[in-house]
């Protein structure tokens, strides 16, 4: 018999509260609640919230896997009558996801019925266990949450009192198997007080938090019963200083709240928003700054990286990168937190995985998401553009599906635990085999539908794809994926001969087909993936090309993450710094100059004249270009390890100082201890201070020092 319950009618609209009362004659020595939902839930026993997991049970490929949370609730139960209440909202399961694609009526997902599965197990002092399971004896009624959905927001009526109660209805077991909680919990991680309230030229009342966040607002109000609150969310003000959120597209991202009498404090419960500004469409009385707090909600990740430099704008960029990650690591790696997407775009995930793995400990977070990726992999081995795969008619793209190989390898490299490779190896292989079977030309990946060098600046007008050839990118990523697969296979002691042969074939076909690179991104990836016959010559041409372009980058999602790396790997660190520290458009610091507090999707999300790029694709919280931070860890501070020492078992520290930065302090907590790498320009010298809690090879001015764990200071002449 199923343990799932639901409501008699469709659950769109008011969120149901499922309820069960029982009498307890003896306090249990232990009580555990195992619970999950199709939708998102919040549970309470005797009016006290169970746990602090926001948006539980999180987002997995629900047709395949549904996480079950287990809470020790011993302290919440008392002698006498007890009540458990669980409110269930639509969440990712039943919201119309993706919001941007299909007209509302046709959205299959929005037709889904939410459901609950709970089991409370109480154990008495004699070891006797009494279970309470979700079944038809549970009742339900409408909650004060009158509407809740991922993109559109939440409506709440503080006066609502349910006038009826019905018995729950059994719901058939869903396809997805129940699994114990695998990922990190999503939590309220930080609170930010509002910075100001002001009236815009258009007369709108706007609250500014000074920082874009993902989560929700908590507001306080002293109201009369029935007063209305209506709040809109936005990331930006337009060039005239007016509220702007046309870039949220079809996501309404709004709050409707009906007040009860007197003082009250509230925040949404079963949804989230990406925002810096609130527009108070309706708000009783004279709201004060202190009435608003932004609650930042993201996966409970432990921070592992810290960077400060002598350049304030770079420090702001670094802050923006960290915020970009916090805002978009909400149970799965997403593209953005605000508009009608908020999806696990596979390309974005691989572009940022290295950076993300230095900033925070994301091992558990990624391993869970990669399990979903394997589960969602198609029968032919192809990997979708988003995971969980909610896109109909999706086509696999190079640079996106490749996260199947790139991400497990990176997680292994950063943390050194090969279980991620064991888990993902079959999936990695299936992706590579998919390409081998799908291509029109043996040894290259030709044909197919790709996103190309997404948002590259050399794109033709009206196109989102940079000028780099799609077959070139696809074939280069094919080579890269096979190379990583071979490495992973060797770690697992598998026979990889046939893939080694395949790699050689791709290499020679690639070199024959692409004797010349045409764009910055083509040079960058052929260098990064070791495909060029004469790397130094290729790097010289790339550097020249950038200089001829007035030291401007032209790269999009594909080329940008590796651009500075290939420059400094081939003697062009100074040029890499020039690009990093450039303030004029196009550059990383351009958005900082325009007041960004997170990373923009486009290099010119706000153009030089203050206009927005466009409304149809213009997120101000897309972390992809924030991947540049891995160059700061690995090259500027020089914190690296060899592939044979994953997890920084042994460190290789090769700092690359630059006088324009003045100083740099970088700390990285690795699985094998802390590494700090600092350098500072003094009058005549550069002083380096390096701490490592593992053996290391430190290289200063080309001289190598093999050292034991300790603190080391070096000096070199300013060049
Ligand atoms: C997303 C991206 C994604 C891209 C793929 C966009 O709509 O926001 O970040 O990678 O589509 O084309």
């Amino acid at each position: 018999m199923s343990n799932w319950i639901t409501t008699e009618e469709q659950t769109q609209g008011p969120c149901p509260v499922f309820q069960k009362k029982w009498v307890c004659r003896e306090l249990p020595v232990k009580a555990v609640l195992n619970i999950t939902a199709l939708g998102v839930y919040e549970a309470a026993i005797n009016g006290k919230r169970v746990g602090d997991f926001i948006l539980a049970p999180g987002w997995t490929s629900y047709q395949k896997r549904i996480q079950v949370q287990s809470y020790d609730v011993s302290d919440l139960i008392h002698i006498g009558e007890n009540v458990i209440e669980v409110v269930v909202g639509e969440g990712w399961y039943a919201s119309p996801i993706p919001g941007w694609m299909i007209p509302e009526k046709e959205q299959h997902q929005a037709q889904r019925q939410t459901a609950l599965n709970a089991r409370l197990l109480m154990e008495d002092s004699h070891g006797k266990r009494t279970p309470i399971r979700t079944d038809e004896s549970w009742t339900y009624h409408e909650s004060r949450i009158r509407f809740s959905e991922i993109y559109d927001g939440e409506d709440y009526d503080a006066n609502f009192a349910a006038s009826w109660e019905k018995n729950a209805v059994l719901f058939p077991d869903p396809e997805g198997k129940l699994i114990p909680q695998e990922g990190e919990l999503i939590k309220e991680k930080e609170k930010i007080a509002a910075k100001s309230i002001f009236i815009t030229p258009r007369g709108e009342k706007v609250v500014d938090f000074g920082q874009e966040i993902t989560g929700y607002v908590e507001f306080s109000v002293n109201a009369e019963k029935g007063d209305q609150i209506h709040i809109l969310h936005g990331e930006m003000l337009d060039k005239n200083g007016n509220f702007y959120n046309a870039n949220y597209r079809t996501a309404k991202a709004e709050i409707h709240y009906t007040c009860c009498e007197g003082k009250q404090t509230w925040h949404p419960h079963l949804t989230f928003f990406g925002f810096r500004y609130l527009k108070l469409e309706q708000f009783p009385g004279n709201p004060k700054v202190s009435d608003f707090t932004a609650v930042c909600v993201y996966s409970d990740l432990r921070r592992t990286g810290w960077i400060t430099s002598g350049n304030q704008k770079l420090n702001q960029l670094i802050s923006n990168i960290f915020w970009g990650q916090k805002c978009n690591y909400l149970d799965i790696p997403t593209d953005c937190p605000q508009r009608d997407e908020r999806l696990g775009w596979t390309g974005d995930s691989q572009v940022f995985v290295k950076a993300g793995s230095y900033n925070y400990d994301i091992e558990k977070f990624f391993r869970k998401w990669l399990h979903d990726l394997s589960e969602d992999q198609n029968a032919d081995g192809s990997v979708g553009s988003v995971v969980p795969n909610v896109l109909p008619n999706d086509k696999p793209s190079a640079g996106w599906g490749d996260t199947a190989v790139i991400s497990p390898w990176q997680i292994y490299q950063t943390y050194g635990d090969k279980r991620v490779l064991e888990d993902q190896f079959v999936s990695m292989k299936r992706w590579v085999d998919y390409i081998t079977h799908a291509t029109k030309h043996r040894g290259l990946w030709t044909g197919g539908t790709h996103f190309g060098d997404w948002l590259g600046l050399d794109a033709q007008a009206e196109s989102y794809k940079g000028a780099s050839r799609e077959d070139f990118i696809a074939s280069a990523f094919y080579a890269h994926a096979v190379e990583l697969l071979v490495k992973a296979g060797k770690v697992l002691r598998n026979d990889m001969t046939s893939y080694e042969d395949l790699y050689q074939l791709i290499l020679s076909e690639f070199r024959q087909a692409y004797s010349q690179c045409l764009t910055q991104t083509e040079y960058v990836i052929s260098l990064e993936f070791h495909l060029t016959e004469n790397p130094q010559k290729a790097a010289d041409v790339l550097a020249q090309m950038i200089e001829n372009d007035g030291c401007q980058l032209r790269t999009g999602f594909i080329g940008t993450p590796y651009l500075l790396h290939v420059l400094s790997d081939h003697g062009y660190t100074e040029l890499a710094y020039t690009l990093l520290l450039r303030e004029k458009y196009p550059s990383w610091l351009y958005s900082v100059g325009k007041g960004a507090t997170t990373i923009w999707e486009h290099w010119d999300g706000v153009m030089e004249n203050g206009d927005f790029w466009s409304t149809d694709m213009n997120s101000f919280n897309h972390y992809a270009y924030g991947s540049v931070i891995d160059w700061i860890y690995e090259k500027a501070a020089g914190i690296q390890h060899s592939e044979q020492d994953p997890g920084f078992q042994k460190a290789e520290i090769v700092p690359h100082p630059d006088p324009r930065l003045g100083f740099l302090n970088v700390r990285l907590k690795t699985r094998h201890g802390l590494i700090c790498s600092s350098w500072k320009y003094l009058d005549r010298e550069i002083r380096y201070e390096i701490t490592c809690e593992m053996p290391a090879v430190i290289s200063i001015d080309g001289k190598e020092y093999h050292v034991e764990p300790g603190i080391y200071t070096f000096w070199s002449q300013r060049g």
Side-chain angles (χ1 to χ4, degrees):
M1 197 182 67
S2 169
N3 284 132
W4 287 89
I5 54 170
T6 187
T7 54
E8 211 175 87
E9 55 300 293
Q10 270 281 338
T11 43
Q12 268 100 58
C15 299
V17 187
F18 295 93
Q19 192 183 65
K20 171 81 184 174
K21 290 184 180 148
W22 79 100
V23 174
C24 191
R25 301 196 196 289
E26 186 192 331
L27 271 190
V29 285
K30 189 159 190 192
V32 175
L33 176 66
N34 290 316
I35 180 168
T36 190
L38 295 173
V40 287
Y41 73 85
E42 219 181 81
I45 293 180
N46 297 323
K48 293 223 178 75
R49 173 100 154 85
V50 174
D52 54 359
F53 189 162
I54 311 295
L55 300 166
W59 196 4
T60 49
S61 300
Y62 298 122
Q63 295 93 316
K64 315 284 172 35
R65 308 161 1 107
I66 304 161
Q67 297 188 117
V68 178
Q69 290 72 48
S70 192
Y71 304 96
D72 183 337
V73 292
S74 316
D75 292 345
L76 301 183
I77 292 169
H78 52 229
I79 302 270
E81 189 176 71
N82 289 267
V83 59
I84 176 166
E85 289 169 299
V86 188
V87 59
V88 178
E90 294 183 12
W92 296 283
Y93 178 78
S95 291
I97 293 177
W100 49 278
M101 210 160 175
I102 323 167
E104 244 163 82
K105 274 187 274 151
E106 294 165 33
Q107 271 170 359
H108 162 68
Q109 204 158 315
Q111 310 302 322
R112 285 183 175 173
Q113 177 78 1
T114 58
L116 174 70
N117 185 341
R119 190 180 69 152
L120 174 64
L121 202 59
M122 288 165 292
E123 192 176 318
D124 70 13
S125 52
H126 312 291
K128 188 174 159 246
R129 291 170 163 197
T130 314
I132 291 184
R133 287 204 177 88
T134 35
D135 60 20
E136 289 148 303
S137 72
W138 285 53
T139 60
Y140 71 93
H141 56 264
E142 288 185 0
S143 70
R144 290 184 174 168
I145 303 178
R146 310 307 293 159
F147 170 85
S148 182
E149 193 252 57
I150 294 291
Y151 300 129
D152 284 351
E154 203 157 295
D155 297 0
Y156 190 88
D157 181 349
N159 302 307
F160 177 80
S163 57
W164 53 260
E165 185 177 85
K166 291 185 188 174
N167 277 91
V169 174
L170 288 185
F171 185 80
D173 280 332
E175 269 170 76
K177 59 177 182 290
L178 299 184
I179 55 161
Q181 172 68 24
E182 240 184 36
E184 303 283 2
L185 304 186
I186 306 166
K187 290 193 175 176
E188 290 189 350
K189 295 281 292 175
E190 293 172 59
K191 293 198 172 182
I192 296 186
K195 298 281 175 298
S196 61
I197 298 191
F198 56 91
I199 306 291
T200 68
R202 221 188 267 137
E204 307 148 316
K205 196 174 277 185
V206 167
V207 180
D208 178 10
F209 291 98
Q211 172 64 54
E212 170 147 355
I213 69 123
T214 296
Y216 34 75
V217 60
E218 181 171 275
F219 59 77
S220 297
V221 63
N222 193 357
E224 280 175 26
K225 184 174 175 187
D227 279 349
Q228 294 297 311
I229 290 177
H230 180 198
I231 295 175
L232 298 181
H233 297 74
E235 295 178 283
M236 299 296 274
L237 300 178
D238 70 14
K239 65 174 174 186
N240 301 315
N242 292 313
F243 179 80
Y244 173 86
N245 73 352
N247 63 329
Y248 284 40
R249 306 193 308 210
T250 66
K252 291 192 190 127
E254 59 185 353
I255 293 172
H256 286 276
Y257 179 88
T258 305
C259 303
C260 55
E261 187 68 30
K263 279 197 180 147
Q264 52 215 286
T265 297
W266 183 82
H267 63 72
H269 287 261
L270 301 174
T271 189
F272 67 95
F273 308 85
F275 65 102
R276 168 176 169 171
Y277 299 98
L278 303 177
K279 179 178 169 198
L280 306 181
E281 284 279 39
Q282 270 182 295
F283 204 95
N286 236 337
K288 301 183 299 299
V289 174
S290 57
D291 295 332
F292 300 90
T293 305
V295 184
C296 313
V297 172
Y298 50 90
S299 288
D300 194 15
L301 306 169
R302 191 172 52 91
R303 185 159 175 178
T304 48
W306 290 265
I307 301 178
T308 42
S309 79
N311 180 312
Q312 281 324 308
K313 284 198 166 166
L314 184 65
N315 292 343
Q316 182 62 48
L317 178 80
I318 288 159
S319 163
N320 297 358
I321 295 169
F322 274 90
W323 274 107
Q325 182 170 2
K326 293 192 278 190
C327 291
N328 282 294
Y329 273 24
L330 196 153
D331 211 31
I332 64 159
T334 58
D335 58 332
C336 61
Q338 75 299 76
R339 70 177 177 219
D340 50 3
E341 299 208 44
R342 316 186 195 178
L343 304 173
W345 282 94
T346 46
D348 308 44
S349 76
Q350 67 85 4
V351 165
F352 194 76
V353 63
K354 186 197 273 188
S357 73
Y358 293 159
N359 292 341
Y360 289 90
D361 183 343
I362 59 168
E363 188 178 22
K364 189 170 167 186
F365 174 89
F366 247 84
R367 285 189 62 193
K368 169 219 169 225
W369 183 72
L370 286 169
H371 290 161
D372 286 304
L373 180 146
S374 315
E375 293 278 356
D376 272 353
Q377 214 159 347
N378 299 309
D380 61 3
S382 62
V383 173
S385 306
V386 303
V387 171
N389 193 351
V390 289
L391 300 185
N393 313 319
D394 183 37
K395 300 263 177 358
S397 165
W400 270 250
D402 287 292
T403 198
V405 175
I406 295 172
S407 294
W409 180 251
Q410 186 59 51
I411 295 296
Y412 169 63
Q413 283 298 305
T414 303
Y415 304 116
D417 185 338
K418 64 180 181 212
R419 281 178 304 171
V420 64
L421 300 181
E422 287 164 359
D423 287 2
Q424 298 305 128
F425 187 72
V426 172
S427 153
M428 295 164 88
K429 200 151 112 19
R430 290 185 68 216
W431 168 247
V432 163
D433 293 346
Y434 162 74
I435 304 171
T436 305
H437 292 121
T439 182
K440 299 209 165 68
H441 182 130
R442 221 169 95 73
L444 298 175
W445 187 2
T446 58
T449 316
H450 303 283
F451 294 119
D453 187 23
W454 189 246
L455 307 185
L457 290 177
D458 44 15
Q460 301 277 334
E462 307 297 313
S463 172
Y464 285 126
K465 297 179 185 176
S468 304
R469 290 162 287 179
E470 286 181 26
D471 285 351
F472 183 110
I473 294 175
S475 301
F477 269 86
Y478 183 26
H480 186 47
V482 175
E483 192 185 19
L484 297 185
L485 177 70
V486 168
K487 287 180 180 173
K490 288 188 170 172
V491 171
L492 301 176
R493 299 183 188 281
N494 293 336
D495 175 12
M496 298 307 288
T497 328
S498 63
Y499 290 95
E500 287 177 291
D501 295 346
L502 175 60
Y503 180 74
Q504 289 309 325
L505 172 74
I506 301 174
L507 195 61
S508 80
E509 289 294 318
F510 188 92
R511 286 178 174 171
Q512 235 179 337
Y514 302 111
S515 53
Q516 255 220 314
C517 298
L518 304 180
T519 63
Q520 289 186 8
T521 287
E522 290 188 3
Y523 276 105
V524 167
I525 58 174
S526 59
L527 279 163
E528 177 70 19
F529 299 161
H530 322 114
L531 302 171
T532 354
E533 254 161 311
N534 188 338
Q536 191 55 51
K537 200 168 139 213
D540 294 344
V541 180
L542 170 65
Q544 196 57 55
M545 204 170 173
I546 295 170
E547 275 165 22
N548 293 347
D549 270 339
C551 287
Q552 297 182 33
L553 52 77
R554 293 273 175 263
T555 49
F557 276 32
I558 292 295
T560 304
Y562 312 119
L563 173 63
L564 302 193
H565 285 285
V566 302
L567 288 174
S568 43
D569 286 346
H570 296 93
Y572 291 100
T573 300
E574 208 179 314
L575 179 57
Y577 270 108
T578 302
L579 290 173
L580 178 68
L581 299 178
R582 181 185 161 90
E583 297 186 9
K584 279 198 264 166
Y585 174 79
S587 68
W588 279 278
L589 297 187
Y590 168 75
S591 66
V592 172
K594 290 275 184 191
T597 62
T598 38
I599 300 296
W600 295 354
E601 180 174 26
H602 287 268
W603 293 113
D604 54 351
V606 177
M607 295 188 289
E608 284 171 297
N609 66 6
D611 286 342
F612 291 118
W613 193 85
S614 88
T615 47
D616 71 323
M617 184 84 73
N618 201 12
S619 152
F620 293 96
N621 202 349
H622 243 68
Y623 54 49
Y625 295 149
S627 56
V628 70
I629 202 169
D630 63 50
W631 181 85
I632 302 177
Y633 286 107
E634 290 189 347
K635 300 290 162 44
I639 301 177
Q640 302 183 14
H641 61 83
S642 81
E643 281 183 358
Q644 281 66 49
D645 293 307
F648 295 87
Q649 204 166 314
K650 186 167 181 187
E652 291 178 2
I653 304 171
V654 193
H656 288 82
D658 188 286
R660 286 168 288 179
L661 211 52
F663 74 86
L664 180 69
N665 295 328
V666 176
R667 273 194 305 144
L668 182 67
K669 270 193 193 162
T670 75
R671 286 285 186 273
H672 291 274
L674 183 70
I675 304 173
C676 305
S677 171
S678 305
W679 47 257
K680 188 175 168 103
Y681 278 78
L682 304 171
D683 283 349
R684 295 207 183 90
E685 300 109 344
I686 311 166
R687 194 188 70 213
Y688 303 83
E689 217 172 85
I690 291 165
T691 306
C692 48
E693 293 185 343
M694 69 289 285
V697 184
I698 301 173
S699 174
I700 306 286
D701 286 344
K703 252 201 232 145
E704 282 194 354
Y705 306 85
H706 292 255
V707 302
E708 289 305 311
I711 302 174
Y712 301 91
T713 308
F714 300 87
W715 302 81
S716 75
Q717 294 298 315
R718 288 186 66 147

